[in-house]
Amino acid sequence: MDIIKLEGEDRRLYYLVAHLVMNEEVLSYNLNYPYKTSSEYLWFIAVDEGNTLGFMPVKLEEGKAKINNYYVADDDCMVFSALLGEITVTLLTDYELEAVTQLRHIPDFEKNGFSVTLYWKRYAKMEAFRNGKECI
C-alpha cells in the first residue's frame, strides 16, 4: 500500500477519488455529508495496485490541520494506520492536528495517537498526540 499526497485542486485527485465521493455507499459511509476540497486542503490517499482504499482530506488553516469527512474501505485498521501515520509525520510538527471522527472510528484514531476532546451525538472531536499506539 502506498500513501499519495495531493493538493486539494490537483487534477490527479479527481482520478483517484471522484468515483468514490459520488458513490452512494461511500456517501452513506460519511453519514450523507458531501466531501469538499479547495486549495486549502491536502489529501492523503491510500492506494494498492491501482485501487483507492481510502482517503483523508486535511484542511490547513490558522495553524491547524483538520481531518474531516474521510473514507476507509471496510473500516480497515491497516488503512487507517497508514493514512493517520502519514498525516501525523507530515503535519504534526507544523500544525495542531485535529479530527472530527464518527463515534465508531474512535478506537482507530486512538490507536494512532489521537484522544477525544469533545463528544457530540454522532461524532467526536479528537486531537493528535505524539507516541500513539499502533494498529493491532
Side-chain angles (χ1 to χ4, degrees):
M1 172 184 2
D2 294 313
I3 304 298
I4 299 171
K5 292 181 278 193
L6 296 174
E7 299 291 328
E9 295 179 341
D10 190 308
R11 290 182 184 265
R12 293 175 294 163
L13 176 64
Y14 300 96
Y15 173 77
L16 292 169
V17 304
H19 65 288
L20 294 170
V21 300
M22 294 187 288
N23 180 295
E24 190 173 323
E25 289 179 23
V26 174
L27 285 171
S28 178
Y29 176 98
N30 200 38
L31 304 177
N32 295 317
Y33 195 81
Y35 296 93
K36 299 177 186 176
T37 195
S38 72
S39 61
E40 296 177 312
Y41 283 82
L42 182 60
W43 285 66
F44 294 79
I45 305 160
V47 296
D48 190 34
E49 298 181 13
N51 296 315
T52 301
L53 306 175
F55 56 81
M56 291 188 177
V58 182
K59 189 172 186 179
L60 306 174
E61 62 180 357
E62 301 173 9
K64 292 187 180 189
K66 299 176 183 177
I67 300 168
N68 198 351
N69 304 317
Y70 52 85
Y71 170 72
V72 173
D74 301 319
D75 287 340
D76 186 307
C77 181
M78 298 308 290
V79 176
F80 268 110
S81 283
L83 287 166
L84 292 170
E86 188 66 27
I87 290 168
T88 301
V89 166
T90 303
L91 300 174
L92 192 55
T93 57
D94 296 325
Y95 295 90
E96 292 179 34
L97 187 52
E98 297 178 348
V100 175
T101 66
Q102 294 181 39
L103 295 178
R104 73 178 196 251
H105 297 136
I106 289 172
D108 295 300
F109 279 77
E110 286 178 333
K111 289 175 187 172
N112 289 282
F114 286 76
S115 296
V116 175
T117 59
L118 181 64
Y119 284 98
W120 293 295
K121 184 176 179 180
R122 295 168 60 173
Y123 300 96
K125 179 179 177 183
M126 302 184 79
E127 293 182 7
F129 298 95
R130 292 182 175 90
N131 302 323
K133 301 176 200 170
E134 291 187 26
C135 184
I136 298 172

